[in-house]
């Protein structure tokens, strides 16, 4: 088990090298750099631009810049943001939490809605409810996330029930402890729904299919024959076995925990990591982008690893091995 | 059961996170010592008000830094201007230069020495006295500090310019040098500073005097350890807001990245009202950070904020809420932002040996009559009505009418007149063949116009411009490309024919435009960085601009700048389109509101008051 | 194939989705005929014009006349008792049917030039939303098809070959695939876009976006196809063909490909929505197709302006509805196909 985990983590190294190299190359090929917009301002002297280019290393070829960057990273120095002038790790750290929270709530939201819905749809198979819920699942799967986000902003603006953007309200610091929790939750409602809805559809359909499979299984028939009450059968035998495959899905969703919310964050103005990365990418604030990409890559690998471990843990028949 | 446990533990984790998030205490900003009112406290010319109200606003975009040396974006600049101030400032009512931290000044007859007398009794927000040392520190220790070679201890000399390299290269540091030379700054006594200029530099009173003064007692140690440029970052704002010491009316109290910046009143501010109450009246300014101007406008319309700069096309629907939300929309008239089209007049040759633009096209573009004809054919009112929903003004010259001290209202104008445009083209040898205009050599007249793709107003203006040209039989190919590529093409590769861009934030002094107007300027859009003026009229503008830099008499400077504007209008190297109007909404509960075109609505924020809510 | 088609048509969901898609693609094909105005014709005197309703008046089709009441809104009013005649199959602006036949006739044209025929209103520069929607469908509908073709082609070559040959080829191909799958796609997309965008014009951007999307998307397909060809390779008929001395390429084409066909079909149908949504999201963020070309995502980006909601210009949201209908139709069709091809794969 440990060896398996280690081996998987080791694959991260060439992966991160490759990805950062690729991104460095792409960023150097893209027109302009971080300083280009500065050149368009009227009171910036040419000397200052030259000075800044030298300071940022932008006057050197990209592979040299990459070398320097890599050297620093090996000493666990991820560089600093050119526009914020603070270490990249601080910058990302300050935004990490909000995104993490949003991803978690939306994951929770999706699970809490999808599992009961899937179960009900399976129990009342082919009923009106089943059809309605599967239609809604299609609809949820087909609506573009950004469009939904747009509609949510509109809803908030028109009704005023929910705040437009932000993660806390302006009185936040002056609220009681419970008030602060409620305040945060209040701000999370709309982004959570928008981000979670896409996940519901997929999860619900898997849950329904698994449940149907489990109902037909032999042990369920046996349990019924033994005279175990129907409700208990469903809960104890069917549900448990139907949920197992979803556990690995949980691992996979972990991989997109930090990067999945980008569009929702941008459209709904949620102060998270996605918003920061998007703007850094547009501004070509190199080190922020690189750190974000490394983080995202790592999360992806960790997520897949977690999915495998979860699967092995929930289903003892599966042994971990490095598949190729 | 395992899965349940997983779910439960997940839930527990989540709850912990939530608690962690919410239990962070607000940053402690213990009570600051309150010094007595300075003897030279300025008396604000407004009726006395009442302390204690909270002012809520929004700003589009997050702040990047609170360090004035490295601030580049508008949001950071706005935040910095809340807590730092300069010796002089521009009067938002008259446009004159008025005292700020300096109560008076003298200029030597040769125009080289500026002696400022600082207000006595003024203290920094932490109670530390403000003296001439802070001014000297700002220039000498922060801006003009030199890089030294650690092995020899000598300053490092830049091989290209031959000058000593700055230790903290920054925009203000270079800005405070005159033609690359330093200004001598010395403290004559604790409250008198003398600046000695290397040569006569007319805008010094505004540019030098307006420079934000930095607190020596706080930033000294960052000079010592060489971290001045990293000081006062957003990390400082998050964790140690008390280090952000200033002389402005407000102080940073707390900052949450991507969410909001909170300012509280500076208890040691140096202005008072006629009854001896210390300004500002506002207790806190809460600035919410929102995604864009749109979101910001919505927040105002919903009554969530107190003041808001409104986008022209949002004014109509926002004004509907004026009754219910109890606010007034102030129309401040034309803004400083300009938009213009220019043709590439660069006659140079690319490194591959080809001319930047085909010679026959260069011949059209260089012809004054062609540019004038194009200007006559632009339907500016059409742009105002269609693109800006009527909430903009046609623009006829380099300076927007907003800047009324420098705006020349009598320059040549180009009203929409297709007949005159055609006559000018005919005079220049162009002729119609079928539906298309051709030049004397029989080339069909067509060109590509580029503008940046992420600005809807510009892409729409470009489309209207193309339609206007079609009426002359000129075909315009529109290219909407990203901003970086545009900058590269206009300032490095020069492979473009025409471009539509704009400038924001008008310069308070004409000399700030020298990089645009002078032929050797980096931003001389139509033909930048010329070794020697390509045309006579550009040479004349160069002379006039040099005069504006040297001349101390405001009347002579104005006359020179008026002539520059006349030449620009006559030659049309930049074909100006429109300037959007400025609208600011302010809730009616605020008192002492006195909007001016130059200062907007919030220029006297320290004197605004409302009954505490 | 024929029986597959019949099977799909036998199901009600199959019918609905197939006919919806048919209608959509016909719209794209005959965009010029259906459009009432040239795609980029602006009218700054009619920005944000509300949809003009078609009525029966005086023995023929007609639209009401509108008057601009408040330019700053802008706000329009119906002029009472004033109608403009509208004709079917009437001549209008020039276009090329199917890109070949020059034509002038359109489904619907107003008779007088003063009439404003905006079936779905107009946008911020007074362009007809309906016409743009119809033209924009070309981008949004073909982007999925082209994208999936490139993806499957690459996936088939890399996945099929590495599954078939195994060994070193397989090893390196799979490491490459894993690499691509581990790169955060959104960032790669944005980075690639910023590199490629300046080199292409607005019309060509469409192709660039497809290529970027499929370059990122093919890795997953390659992995699945490799697995399938790996298992097929061990089957009797492939071994038999091999022992008969057929060349690998021939085996791949004759024996392996046909067995993958049904999977490919289902996979293709189910992944097309990804391309449509991808393009829409990119264009919406202003990073996809650029003006003046038109696509549904790009049209929706105008709706980011809050004014659209506040002044209730709902017709600018219709591209969102169009994306929704298209995507749901593809999803339904994909599910029906999967049901038909392999009922056991249901909802997995």
């Amino acid at each position: 088990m440990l060896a398996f985990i280690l081996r998987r983590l080791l694959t991260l190294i060439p992966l991160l090298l490759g990805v950062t190299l690729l991104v460095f190359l792409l960023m150097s090929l893209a027109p302009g750099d971080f300083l280009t917009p500065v050149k368009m301002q009227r009171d910036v002297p040419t000397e200052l631009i030259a000075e800044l280019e030298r300071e940022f290393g932008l006057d050197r070829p990209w592979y040299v810049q990459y070398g320097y960057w890599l050297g620093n990273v090996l000493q666990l120095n991820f560089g600093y943001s050119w526009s914020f002038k603070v270490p990249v790790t601080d910058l990302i750290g300050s935004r990490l939490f909000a995104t993490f929270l949003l991803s978690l709530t939306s994951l929770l939201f999706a699970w809490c809605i999808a599992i009961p819905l899937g179960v009900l749809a399976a129990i009342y198979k082919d009923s009106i409810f089943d059809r309605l819920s599967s239609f809604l699942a299609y609809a949820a799967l087909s609506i573009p996330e950004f469009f939904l986000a747009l509609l949510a902003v509109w809803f908030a603006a028109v009704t005023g029930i929910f705040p437009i953007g932000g993660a806390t309200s302006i009185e936040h610091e002056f609220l009681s402890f419970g008030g602060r929790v409620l305040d945060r939750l209040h701000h999370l409602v709309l982004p959570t729904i928008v981000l979670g809805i896409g996940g519901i559809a997929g999860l619900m359909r898997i849950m329904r299919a698994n449940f149907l499979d489990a109902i037909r299984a032999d042990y369920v028939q046996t349990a019924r024959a033994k005279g175990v009450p129907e409700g208990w059968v469903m809960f104890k035998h069917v549900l448990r076995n139907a949920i197992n495959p979803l556990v690995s899905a949980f691992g996979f969703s972990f991989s997109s925990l930090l990067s999945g919310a980008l569009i929702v964050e941008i459209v709904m103005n949620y102060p998270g990591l996605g918003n920061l990365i998007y703007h850094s990418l547009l501004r070509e604030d190199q080190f922020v982008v690189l750190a974000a990409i490394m983080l995202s890559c790592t999360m992806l690998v960790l997520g897949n690893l977690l999915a495998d471990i979860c699967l092995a843990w929930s289903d003892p028949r599966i042994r971990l091995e490095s598949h190729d | 059961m395992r899965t349940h446990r997983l779910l439960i533990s997940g839930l527990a984790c989540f709850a912990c996170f939530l608690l962690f998030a919410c239990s962070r205490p607000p940053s402690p900003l213990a009570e600051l010592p309150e010094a007595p009112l300075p003897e030279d406290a300025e008396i604000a010319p407004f009726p006395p008000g009442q302390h204690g109200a909270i002012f809520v606003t929004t700003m589009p975009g997050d702040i990047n830094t609170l360090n004035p040396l490295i601030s580049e974006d508008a949001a950071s600049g706005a935040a910095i201007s809340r807590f730092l101030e300069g010796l002089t400032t521009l009067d938002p009512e008259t446009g004159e230069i008025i005292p700020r931290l300096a109560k008076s000044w003298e200029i030597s007859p040769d125009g080289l020495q500026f002696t400022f007398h600082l207000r006595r009794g003024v203290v920094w927000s932490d109670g530390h006295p403000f003296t001439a040392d802070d001014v000297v520190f700002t220039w000498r220790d922060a801006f003009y500090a030199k890089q030294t070679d650690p092995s020899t201890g000598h300053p490092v000399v830049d091989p290209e310019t031959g000058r000593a390299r700055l230790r903290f290269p920054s925009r203000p540091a270079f800005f405070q040098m005159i033609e690359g030379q330093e200004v001598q700054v010395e403290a004559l006594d604790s409250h008198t500073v003398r600046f000695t200029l290397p040569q006569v530099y007319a805008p010094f009173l505004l540019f030098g005097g307006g420079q934000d003064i930095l607190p020596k007692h706080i930033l000294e140690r960052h000079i010592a350890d060489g971290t001045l440029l990293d000081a006062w970052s957003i990390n400082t704002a998050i964790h140690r807001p008390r280090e952000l010491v200033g002389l402005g009316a407000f102080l940073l109290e707390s900052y949450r990245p991507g969410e909001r910046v909170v300012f509280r009143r500076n208890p040691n501010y140096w202005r008072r009202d006629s009854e001896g109450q210390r300004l500002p009246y506002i207790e806190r300014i809460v600035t919410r950070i929102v995604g864009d101007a749109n979101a910001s406008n919505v927040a105002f319309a919903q009554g969530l904020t107190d003041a808001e700069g409104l986008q022209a096309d949002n004014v109509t629907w926002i004004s509907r809420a004026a009754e219910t939300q109890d606010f007034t929309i102030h129309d401040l008239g034309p803004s400083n932002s300009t938009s213009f089209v220019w043709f590439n007049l660069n006659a140079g040759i690319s490194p591959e040996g080809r001319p930047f633009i085909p010679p026959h096209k260069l011949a059209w573009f260089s012809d004054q009559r062609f540019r004038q004809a194009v200007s006559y054919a632009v339907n500016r009112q059409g742009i105002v009505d269609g693109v800006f929903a009527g909430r903009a003004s046609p623009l006829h010259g380099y300076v927007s009418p907003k800047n009324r001290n420098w705006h020349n209202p009598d320059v040549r104008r180009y009203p929409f007149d297709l007949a005159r445009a055609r006559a000018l083209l005919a005079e220049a040898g162009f002729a119609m063949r079928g539906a298309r205009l051709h030049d004397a050599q029989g080339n069909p007249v067509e060109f590509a116009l580029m503008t940046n793709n992420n600005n809807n107003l510009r892409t729409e203006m470009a489309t209207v411009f193309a339609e206007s040209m079609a009426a002359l039989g000129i075909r315009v190919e529109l290219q909407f490309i990203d901003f970086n590529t545009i900058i590269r093409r206009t300032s490095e590769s020069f492979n473009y024919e025409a471009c539509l861009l704009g400038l924001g934030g008008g310069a308070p002094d004409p000399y700030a435009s020298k990089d645009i107007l002078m032929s050797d300027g980096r931003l001389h859009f139509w033909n930048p960085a010329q070794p020697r003026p390509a045309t006579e009229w550009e040479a004349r503008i160069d002379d006039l601009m040099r005069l504006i830099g040297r001349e101390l008499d405001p009347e002579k400077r104005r006359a020179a700048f008026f002539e520059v504007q006349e030449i620009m209008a006559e030659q049309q190297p930049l074909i100006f389109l429109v300037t959007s109007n400025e609208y600011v909404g302010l809730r009616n509960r605020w008192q002492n509101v006195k909007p001016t075109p130059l200062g907007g609505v919030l220029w006297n924020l320290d004197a605004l008051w409302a009954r505490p809510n | 194939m024929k029986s597959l088609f019949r099977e799909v048509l036998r199901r009600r969901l199959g019918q609905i989705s197939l006919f919806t898609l048919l209608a959509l693609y016909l719209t794209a094909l005959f965009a010029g005929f259906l459009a009432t105005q040239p795609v980029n014709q602006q009218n700054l005197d009619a920005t944000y014009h509300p949809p003009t309703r078609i009525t029966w008046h005086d023995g023929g089709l007609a639209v009401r006349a509108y008057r601009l009441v408040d330019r700053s809104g802008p706000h329009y009013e119906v002029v009472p008792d004033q109608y403009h005649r509208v004709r079917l199959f009437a001549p209008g602006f020039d276009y090329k049917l199917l890109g070949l036949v020059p034509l002038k006739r359109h489904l619907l044209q107003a008779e007088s030039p003063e009439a404003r025929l905006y079936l779905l209103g107009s946008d911020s520069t007074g362009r007809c939303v309906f016409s743009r929607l119809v033209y924009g469908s070309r981008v949004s509908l073909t982007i999925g098809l082209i994208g999936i073709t490139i993806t499957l082609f690459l996936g088939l070559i890399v996945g099929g070959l590495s599954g078939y040959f195994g060994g070193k080829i397989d090893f390196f191909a799979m490491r490459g695939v894993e690499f691509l799958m581990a790169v955060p796609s959104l960032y790669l997309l944005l980075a690639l876009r910023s590199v490629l965008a300046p080199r292409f014009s607005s019309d060509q951007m469409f192709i660039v976006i497809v290529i970027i999307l499929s370059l990122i998307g093919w890795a997953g397909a390659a992995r699945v196809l490799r697995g399938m060809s790996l298992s097929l390779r061990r089957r009797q008929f492939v071994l038999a063909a091999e022992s008969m001395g057929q060349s690998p390429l021939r085996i791949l084409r004759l024996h392996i490909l046909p067995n993958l066909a049904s999977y490919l079909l289902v996979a293709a149908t189910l992944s097309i929505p990804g391309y449509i949504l991808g393009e829409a999201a990119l264009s919406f963020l202003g990073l996809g197709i650029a003006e003046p070309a038109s696509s549904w995502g790009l049209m929706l980006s105008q709706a980011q302006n809050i004014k659209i909601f506040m002044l209730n210009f709902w017709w600018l949201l219709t591209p969102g509805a169009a994306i929704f209908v298209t995507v749901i139709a593809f999803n339904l069709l994909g599910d029906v196909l999967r049901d038909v091809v392999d009922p056991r794969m249901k909802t997995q």
Side-chain angles (χ1 to χ4, degrees), chain A residues 119-181:
Chain A
V119 169
L120 288 177
I123 293 178
Y124 303 105
K125 187 169 174 285
D126 293 329
S127 68
I128 296 280
F129 174 79
D130 184 21
R131 284 174 193 202
L132 194 69
S133 65
S134 79
F135 174 74
L136 287 180
Y138 273 120
L141 212 58
S142 309
I143 193 159
E145 203 175 53
F146 64 87
F147 188 57
L148 202 62
L150 207 61
L151 293 180
V153 171
W154 170 70
F155 177 77
V158 169
T159 63
I161 301 174
F162 293 107
I164 315 169
T168 54
S169 56
I170 53 170
E171 309 88 30
H172 190 80
E173 266 95 14
F174 306 99
L175 292 175
S176 69
F177 175 72
R180 286 206 290 273
V181 175

Side-chain angles (χ1 to χ4, degrees), chain A residues 183-202:
Chain A
D183 181 43
R184 234 176 206 276
L185 287 178
H186 187 211
H187 282 78
L188 274 171
V189 173
L190 283 183
T192 298
I193 294 177
V194 171
L195 194 59
I197 266 184
I200 290 183

Side-chain angles (χ1 to χ4, degrees), chain C residues 116-179:
Chain C
R116 291 194 178 136
L117 181 59
Y118 291 120
L119 294 179
L120 279 177
S122 74
D123 68 2
S124 62
T125 45
R127 295 178 294 195
C128 172
V129 171
F130 175 75
S131 304
R132 281 180 76 73
L133 202 61
V134 166
Y135 271 105
S137 71
R138 291 185 164 172
V139 169
S140 300
L141 290 174
T142 45
I143 209 153
L145 296 187
I146 302 178
I148 199 65
T149 314
I150 302 177
T151 300
L152 285 185
F153 179 73
L154 281 175
L156 205 59
I157 298 244
V158 176
L161 287 181
S162 69
Y164 182 84
F165 287 111
K168 274 214 175 102
I169 298 184
D170 183 33
F171 180 82
F172 285 113
M174 283 307 107
R175 291 298 86 77
V177 162
E178 272 164 20
F179 176 74

Side-chain angles (χ1 to χ4, degrees), chain A residues 15 18-19 22 26 29-31 138-139 142-144 146-147 150 154 157 205 209 262 267 277-278 281 293 296-297 300 324, chain C residues 179 181-184 186-188 190-191 194-195 198 277 280-281 284-285 300 309-310 320 323-324 327-328 331-332 335 347:
Chain A
L15 182 71
V19 171
L22 182 69
L26 286 178
L29 284 176
Y138 273 120
S142 309
I143 193 159
F146 64 87
F147 188 57
L150 207 61
W154 170 70
R205 292 165 76 195
L262 192 128
V267 180
I277 294 170
Y278 175 70
L281 202 69
I293 284 175
S296 190
C297 260
L300 208 67
D324 102 319
Chain C
F179 176 74
M181 286 177 80
V183 177
L186 196 63
Y187 306 140
L188 188 63
L190 294 179
S194 64
V195 172
L277 292 176
F284 177 78
L285 289 178
L300 261 186
F309 290 110
M310 289 306 177
I323 297 175
F324 180 68
V327 170
I328 209 169
N331 277 335
L332 277 176
D335 266 10
T347 65

Side-chain angles (χ1 to χ4, degrees), chain B residues 338-352:
Chain B
T338 59
S339 50
F340 44 84
V341 168
W342 78 87
F343 294 104
N344 185 357
L345 300 186
N346 197 326
I349 286 167
S350 70
E352 295 92 54

